[in-house]
Structure formats: structure tokens, C-alpha cells
Amino acid sequence: MTRSISSSAAAISAILVLASCSRADDISPNVLVAVPDSVSLSSLHEQLPIHRMTGSPAATRLEEARGLAISECMGRLGYAYAPVAPTGPSDWLPPFGLERIDNRSGIQAEEPVEEPRNKAFGNALYGNPDRIITVSREGISVSRPAEGCMAEVEKSLLGTSRETWIGLNIQLWQAQAKAFQRLSDDTQMKAANQAWSACVHREGIIASDPQELERRIQRKVDNGDIQTAVTDVHCKKTTRYLVIAYGRLAHFQRKELDRRPGVERRWLALRDRQIINSR
């Protein structure tokens, strides 16, 4: 199985909270549904050890520097290249579905459409498509260009540790994925899902967990789905679903990292080395 993972690790992860027992239809869809008490969404996200690594300001700065270096390399070859903006906290897709409803028309912006490029542009960026490096860890293989501006910049940042960096990112991805999978057998998460499901059922919605409901509304709230989304978020608040879910996911992420001794330490060390080399 081959997957593409970004150089700052595939960040996959987490989500939300909950409060009293008023009916969901009493909540206006145009009003921000805030997190109750003193618990903030950011504090819930920050519980996740892998999110603290891949979603940190340092990781964002590295991605910005990497994109700028690739753009400069392409410019020297006569091509205009706009680097992809790093994923920030506001762009992060939480693993437990919607966390809040605000007065924006949509929940997730459409992916930008990339302009078609000619073969020469692709060769400048990625090099000869037959020249790649492939790293395999834990049943997953990731390939990266061996030539071109992307490879040149990664070599300048990582030196001889490029394959090590790719391998560490694969292991982080696997740790995140397996931690999330372990939630399905967790007693506390089963109880949280049952409480949330009973809450939305009182509003006429049948779903066993937020992921099932999210697949229906697909993160895009139109006029037909807005009340469903409001009910989802309201029930997460009233059952404190996200507090439980984030806590359990953080617990399992830590266990998965502990099963991979040295991955966290080595990943952070290589990230910091790249930041220094990018200056």
C-alpha cells in the first residue's frame, strides 16, 4: 500500500465538548455555539501529543520556509511556483466531526483548483519521474522525488536524513491511525457515543456516533442540514462528548508513541534541525 504523506507528517486527529439540556431547536444556527465552562477547543486539541508536534507553530514555520525555498528554486529555473499554505489550527479537520457552528455559510472551504502545468514545469519541480526514493515502515510505503526542486530543498534541510524523516512521518501517521482505531473498543468512548446518540435521537436523528452523522452532512452545511449540524454540536456539548473523546484519544496516542520508542524524540530533533538549516 502506498500513501502520500507531507513532510511535516500527515496530521490526522481530534475534537469537542458539551453543557445543559435545553432543546437543540432553541439554538439559532447563526449564533456561535461556544464551548461550555472554561474548556476551549484549542485546549482539547492540545491534549493530543501528535497534534502538538505536527500542528505546532514550529512545524508551521518549517513548512513556510520549505515552500519559500522551493519557490525560489523554481524561480531560478524560470517558473513561478506558489507554495501551498501551511495547515494552521483553523484548517485542521477534527476527527470527531463538527465542533462548532458559526455564521459562515459553510464549514469547510473548497480545495483550491491547481492550474494545469506542462511537463517541463513538473520535471523542474519533481525531477525525472523514474527517479524516486521509497521508504517503507509498518506496511506503508511512501515515495518522494529524487531530483528536482522539491528534492533539492529537502536535501538542503535534511542532509543525509531524508529517508529517516520520511520513515518517522510514516510511524507518526500509523500511531495516529491506530490510536483512533482503539477508540472503538474503549468502554468510555462507547458510553460517550451512547449518550450522544440518545441526545440526537430525541431530536429525530438516528446515528450511532458523530462520524456516522458527519458522513451524511459531509462537513458542508446547507439549508437542509443546518439544524442537523446544530443538534450534533449541541449534543456534544450537553454530553461533554469532546472532553471525553479527546481525553481518550490523547491516552491512546501516548500509548502508540510509547510503542515506538524514540520516534517522538527523533522527529522533533529533525524538525528543529530543518528549522535551523532553513535560516
Side-chain angles (χ1 to χ4, degrees), residues 194-233:
Q194 289 170 359
W196 175 89
S197 180
C199 178
V200 297
H201 186 262
R202 288 192 291 271
E203 303 300 327
I205 299 170
I206 300 176
S208 59
D209 57 47
Q211 289 79 17
E212 179 184 342
L213 185 59
E214 185 191 23
R215 285 192 291 272
R216 298 180 198 168
I217 61 178
Q218 298 180 336
R219 293 187 186 275
K220 292 182 180 179
V221 179
D222 57 25
N223 291 334
D225 289 324
I226 185 64
Q227 192 57 51
T228 298
V230 169
T231 300
D232 173 22
V233 173

Side-chain angles (χ1 to χ4, degrees), residues 11-15 45 48 51 87-95 99 246:
I12 306 164
S13 332
I15 327 294
H45 302 165
L48 303 177
H51 180 67
T87 300
S90 62
D91 302 314
W92 182 54
L93 296 180
E99 294 180 330
Y246 271 119

Side-chain angles (χ1 to χ4, degrees), residues 67-274:
L68 180 60
I70 293 174
S71 180
E72 290 173 347
C73 175
M74 293 292 286
R76 290 193 295 272
L77 298 176
Y79 297 101
Y81 173 80
V84 177
T87 300
S90 62
D91 302 314
W92 182 54
L93 296 180
F96 305 112
L98 296 175
E99 294 180 330
R100 67 180 191 177
I101 304 295
D102 60 22
N103 57 8
R104 292 172 297 177
S105 59
I107 297 302
Q108 180 186 356
E110 295 288 342
E111 290 292 327
V113 178
E114 186 175 348
E115 296 181 9
R117 305 291 190 177
N118 58 32
K119 183 177 180 181
F121 180 94
N123 286 341
L125 182 59
Y126 302 113
N128 184 335
D130 295 327
R131 296 287 305 279
I132 60 174
I133 62 171
T134 301
V135 178
S136 299
R137 296 285 189 281
E138 300 188 31
I140 293 180
S141 294
V142 171
S143 296
R144 301 288 290 172
E147 301 174 342
C149 282
M150 185 173 291
E152 179 181 315
V153 169
E154 291 179 0
K155 291 173 186 176
S156 70
L157 295 174
L158 287 159
T160 59
S161 299
R162 193 173 176 221
E163 293 187 20
T164 299
W165 177 247
I166 296 171
L168 290 171
N169 276 296
I170 295 173
Q171 289 177 287
L172 275 189
W173 191 94
Q174 283 288 68
Q176 288 191 48
K178 289 185 180 300
F180 193 81
Q181 291 169 6
R182 291 176 70 171
L183 293 177
S184 61
D185 295 323
D186 182 63
T187 302
Q188 293 185 48
M189 275 306 299
K190 287 180 179 179
N193 282 326
Q194 289 170 359
W196 175 89
S197 180
C199 178
V200 297
H201 186 262
R202 288 192 291 271
E203 303 300 327
I205 299 170
I206 300 176
S208 59
D209 57 47
Q211 289 79 17
E212 179 184 342
L213 185 59
E214 185 191 23
R215 285 192 291 272
R216 298 180 198 168
I217 61 178
Q218 298 180 336
R219 293 187 186 275
K220 292 182 180 179
V221 179
D222 57 25
N223 291 334
D225 289 324
I226 185 64
Q227 192 57 51
T228 298
V230 169
T231 300
D232 173 22
V233 173
H234 173 71
C235 285
K236 284 171 177 168
K237 290 161 104 31
T238 59
T239 60
R240 295 185 67 79
Y241 183 89
L242 289 175
V243 172
I244 298 167
Y246 271 119
R248 299 309 292 161
L249 184 56
H251 169 76
F252 287 122
Q253 281 196 7
R254 174 47 57 195
K255 281 190 170 293
E256 290 296 328
L257 286 173
D258 290 344
R259 294 177 62 184
R260 296 164 174 82
V263 167
E264 184 176 11
R265 174 184 53 79
R266 294 165 65 204
W267 190 94
L268 290 170
L270 276 180
R271 180 204 64 187
D272 293 344
R273 183 200 297 180
Q274 292 178 82

Side-chain angles (χ1 to χ4, degrees), residues 16 21 30 131 258:
L16 188 50
C21 225
N30 294 320
R131 296 287 305 279
D258 290 344

